[in-house]
Amino acid sequence: MSPDEDRPRGPWSQRGAAFGVWYLRTVTFINFLSAVWVSFGNNIRRHNVDEFFTPYLLTAGFASGAFSLFFAVTLRRRKRAAWILSLVLSGLFLALIGSVLALFPEFRAHAQNWVSLVLTLLFVVALIVGRREFYAKGDRSNPKLAAVTAVGGLLTASLLAALLVTVTNTAQNASSTFFLRWRYGLMRLISLAPDELKFLGISAPNWVDVVINVMSTALLVAVLWAAFRSVRSTDPITGDDEEKLRALLARHGDRDSLGYFALRRDKSVLFSPSGKAAVTYRVVGGVSLASADPLGDPEAWPGAIERWLAEAREHGWTPAVMGASEEGGTIYARHGLDALEIGDEAIVDTEEFTLGGRAMRTVRQAYNRVERAGYTVRIRRHEDIPGPEMDELLRLADDWRDGETERGFSMALGRLGDPGDGRCVMLECRDAGDGEGEGRLRALLSFVPWGDSGLSLDLMRRDRDSENGLVEFMVLEMIQRAKEVEITQISLNFAMFRSVFERGSRLGAGPVLRIWRSLLSFFSRWWQIESLYRANAKYRPIWEPRYMLFEKSTDLLRIGVAGARAEGFLEAPGLPKWLNRKHLENMR
């Protein structure tokens, strides 16, 4: 760290940084407004041409709007590189304004030039005062990536522009060479308005020039993104890290039903200074996404949380937590994060569970129907399954998977059959067969350990040609035969927004709650939000709320997208499928 970063940041430093960000936001708004409001934009451009100056970055247009917007976003994320470039550019612009006003008296008569000087000066001073607020480091490969993006993008865009001009050129003396048309496209990409006298053999329609200008803006944004992107990830969990995490789980694993999922090998880990607690997380799209509660001794949780937050700030990541319990959420909230309830976890007490009673009539009938059809369930620890049998189970699990993407982050381990997970429990369901030997395997369930006497559902796979209700039959078998593996509590699926569905259907529910429930029901057609709640509710479980923790409400959309990507519901655009397969193989 630099000396500036070591010193405490005071209120003036924070105000300076805030002013710089809001200045750029205001300039962005005016730039975009002037791009669509023609007369307003022409007034700004006239001042910029006739009177020579407008404030820093205020040039009226989409390109300048995209440029100032990018700086506003990167400065808000405390990027050090963005601060340096903003200070250099605005400082040069300030020096230019000051020199012109000092050397040329005719420019002093225009009041807007003095306004530009004052606003630009305030922006530069704000950046200097708030310098300690811009501490986030970028990836070391950014300069090389930005250079490659600029050169490759400019070459590609200029060739596309030349091709477009060639096809649409309407000049009467259309004797221009391809090289000249390429130069025209290149100059329009760089300057937005090339000297037409140098390109007399070219007359392209206005919409062609607009398309080329849009490509120029897109290229500029791509280069800036490459130059200022955050560090994409940290080192994943190592073998030594996994041993330490397993030791924490052995001592404190019964505190959180999702604790074992911290062992996913696509996550990273930070331990508290004492080593008695740890936060596991994954960086997705610039969001440092921690999973559930910290592991280990609750008294040591703050030390691990502080290290995780410090790393997120150092790299400009947005900190967020998915699936924290009420206890964990309370500790995270003490460190400046806000909580939002996102759903409930269904937990079944196996010693209290019964299929008797009127309330369980439908479930009991479905269970008896599958049982009469001759289906049987075998329950074993993974370590008790011979190697060849486990290989066959893995093959079937892959065949039955719905889609190519392995889903899961908060409540999925993602490596069925790994030798290190011998204490996991496997349920195998077979049909009645033809009366000779074992029936055909039709479904699999796998549970991970939750302390010494609990299990958490990890994986569900079913043959699509098997009978409906098979998974429910297996879950009920697991609950009723829990004593075979010395289990007293089982964590089932997570039901998002359960309280909305439950309260929204009650008598007297308000209009806002009913609208919210209707909206979620609509999206349930694709994401099974309501069906998961209904599937869990039939076991009459204990509902334990789970929370999402975040720093700023304006980051909720970004966090939601990162969470969906981490869970496998969204894929990064353009990512080859073979890379996804390689990533999954590395996890196993």
Side-chain angles (χ1 to χ4, degrees):
M1 283 190 176
S2 67
D4 279 345
E5 293 176 43
D6 289 333
R7 290 198 294 266
R9 297 186 289 270
W12 281 107
S13 178
Q14 296 173 3
R15 291 168 186 164
F19 178 87
V21 172
W22 276 105
Y23 172 86
L24 290 173
R25 287 173 175 172
T26 304
V27 167
T28 299
F29 174 76
I30 297 175
N31 279 331
F32 285 143
L33 180 63
S34 61
V36 297
W37 186 354
V38 178
S39 60
F40 181 63
N42 288 337
N43 286 334
I44 294 179
R45 295 185 190 95
R46 189 180 70 252
H47 289 307
N48 212 10
V49 174
D50 297 339
E51 285 85 26
F52 202 67
F53 289 118
T54 55
Y56 173 64
L57 283 181
L58 183 60
T59 58
F62 282 114
S64 54
F67 196 65
S68 56
L69 175 62
F70 191 90
F71 272 117
V73 172
T74 50
L75 286 179
R76 179 186 174 275
R77 294 176 184 171
R78 304 300 187 241
K79 300 293 183 69
R80 189 73 176 180
W83 175 82
I84 293 173
L85 185 56
S86 294
L87 185 61
V88 169
L89 293 178
S90 59
L92 291 174
F93 188 75
L94 178 64
L96 176 62
I97 298 178
S99 300
V100 169
L101 291 178
L103 298 176
F104 302 98
E106 61 270 22
F107 290 105
R108 300 174 194 168
H110 302 291
Q112 61 268 17
N113 290 341
W114 292 101
V115 172
S116 298
L117 177 68
V118 171
L119 289 177
T120 305
L121 176 62
L122 288 175
F123 179 69
V124 171
V125 171
L127 290 181
I128 295 174
V129 171
R131 63 189 180 280
R132 288 193 292 272
E133 295 296 319
F134 304 101
Y135 42 75
K137 301 176 182 178
D139 197 295
R140 293 182 179 180
S141 64
N142 285 359
K144 183 185 295 185
L145 180 62
V148 171
T149 302
V151 174
L154 192 60
L155 178 61
T156 302
S158 61
L159 290 174
L160 288 174
L163 181 62
L164 194 59
V165 171
T166 299
V167 174
T168 60
N169 189 13
T170 59
Q172 293 181 355
N173 182 21
S175 59
S176 60
T177 63
F178 183 81
F179 178 73
L180 185 65
R181 293 190 293 272
W182 175 78
R183 278 187 56 209
Y184 176 85
L186 179 63
M187 293 305 298
R188 181 160 284 279
L189 285 168
I190 296 174
S191 65
L192 299 182
D195 187 358
E196 295 182 356
L197 296 178
K198 297 180 180 179
F199 303 97
L200 296 177
I202 296 175
S203 179
N206 288 335
W207 67 267
V208 172
D209 293 337
V210 171
V211 170
I212 297 175
N213 290 346
V214 169
M215 286 195 295
S216 173
T217 302
L219 177 60
L220 175 63
V221 171
V223 172
L224 289 174
W225 173 84
F228 299 137
R229 66 178 186 149
S230 302
V231 177
R232 303 192 70 181
S233 63
T234 56
D235 295 331
I237 291 175
T238 64
D240 291 340
D241 292 336
E242 188 169 328
E243 288 184 10
K244 294 178 183 177
L245 292 175
R246 289 184 183 276
L248 293 178
L249 285 170
R251 291 193 295 269
H252 305 280
D254 57 345
R255 302 193 67 91
D256 186 9
S257 60
L258 307 186
Y260 199 87
F261 299 117
L263 299 178
R264 281 181 64 102
R265 289 169 187 156
D266 60 349
K267 295 181 180 179
S268 302
V269 61
L270 287 171
F271 291 92
S272 65
S274 65
K276 295 181 178 180
V279 171
T280 59
Y281 64 98
R282 179 179 164 193
V283 180
V284 183
V287 176
S288 181
L289 206 59
S291 58
D293 295 349
L295 296 184
D297 186 351
E299 293 185 1
W301 285 2
I305 293 173
E306 287 167 3
R307 289 196 61 189
W308 168 66
L309 289 174
E311 185 187 59
R313 295 189 181 100
E314 179 183 357
H315 295 297
W317 297 330
T318 299
V321 185
M322 295 295 288
S325 69
E326 188 167 357
E327 180 184 18
T330 300
I331 304 300
Y332 276 113
R334 292 174 185 171
H335 289 78
L337 300 184
D338 289 329
L340 176 66
E341 185 176 340
I342 56 174
D344 296 85
E345 177 188 8
I347 297 176
V348 177
D349 187 330
T350 61
E351 295 179 344
E352 298 292 332
F353 180 83
T354 177
L355 270 176
R358 184 176 181 84
M360 299 296 289
R361 179 182 176 184
T362 303
V363 178
R364 183 170 61 251
Q365 290 175 343
Y367 173 83
N368 291 334
R369 175 178 55 80
V370 176
E371 187 177 41
R372 285 193 300 269
Y375 286 89
T376 57
V377 174
R378 186 178 188 182
I379 302 176
R380 291 184 287 178
R381 295 277 183 181
H382 285 203
E383 60 192 7
D384 298 328
I385 302 176
E389 288 188 39
M390 180 60 79
D391 291 340
E392 178 63 14
L393 295 179
L394 293 177
R395 185 188 67 79
L396 290 173
D398 285 337
D399 290 344
W400 295 338
R401 184 171 62 202
D402 185 14
E404 296 186 8
T405 303
E406 186 76 52
R407 292 180 177 176
F409 170 73
S410 302
M411 296 186 71
L413 197 57
R415 55 168 193 261
L416 183 66
D418 188 277
D421 303 318
R423 297 302 295 167
C424 293
V425 173
M426 181 76 78
L427 274 70
E428 307 156 54
C429 185
R430 296 181 180 273
D431 60 20
D434 55 6
E436 297 180 4
E438 270 189 329
R440 181 181 172 186
L441 193 64
R442 290 294 193 172
L444 295 172
L445 294 185
S446 183
F447 292 81
V448 300
W450 170 14
D452 295 329
S453 59
L455 293 175
S456 290
L457 181 61
D458 172 31
L459 176 138
M460 296 188 299
R461 296 286 160 80
R462 180 177 71 90
D463 187 347
R464 294 178 182 84
D465 297 328
S466 62
E467 190 166 345
N468 289 331
L470 213 55
V471 171
E472 290 80 357
F473 173 73
M474 296 173 71
V475 171
L476 291 169
E477 281 285 288
M478 181 70 251
I479 295 172
Q480 295 183 103
R481 296 166 55 186
K483 290 183 179 180
E484 293 182 15
V485 284
E486 300 177 343
I487 296 301
T488 60
Q489 53 186 353
I490 298 175
S491 170
L492 300 177
N493 271 323
F494 172 74
M496 290 188 65
F497 307 114
R498 178 200 67 88
S499 59
V500 176
F501 291 111
E502 185 174 289
R503 293 193 306 236
S505 60
R506 292 178 182 174
L507 182 66
V512 174
L513 189 58
R514 288 182 181 275
I515 293 174
W516 182 219
R517 181 178 181 274
S518 299
L519 186 63
L520 290 177
S521 298
F522 173 76
F523 285 111
S524 293
R525 300 177 184 178
W526 297 278
W527 293 327
Q528 299 180 334
I529 302 173
E530 186 173 10
S531 60
L532 277 177
Y533 158 61
R534 301 294 180 193
N536 291 328
K538 65 179 65 174
Y539 306 111
R540 304 185 68 80
I542 301 168
W543 294 106
E544 292 290 342
R546 289 281 172 173
Y547 300 88
M548 178 174 69
L549 282 300
F550 57 94
E551 200 167 37
K552 297 178 181 178
S553 58
T554 52
D555 291 326
L556 283 176
L557 178 59
R558 189 179 183 210
I559 294 170
V561 172
R565 286 180 57 189
E567 296 289 356
F569 293 103
L570 293 176
E571 292 187 38
L575 187 64
K577 293 183 178 180
W578 66 269
L579 281 179
N580 285 330
R581 290 198 295 269
K582 181 179 179 181
H583 172 67
L584 294 174
E585 290 170 1
N586 291 336
M587 288 170 55
R588 292 183 174 178

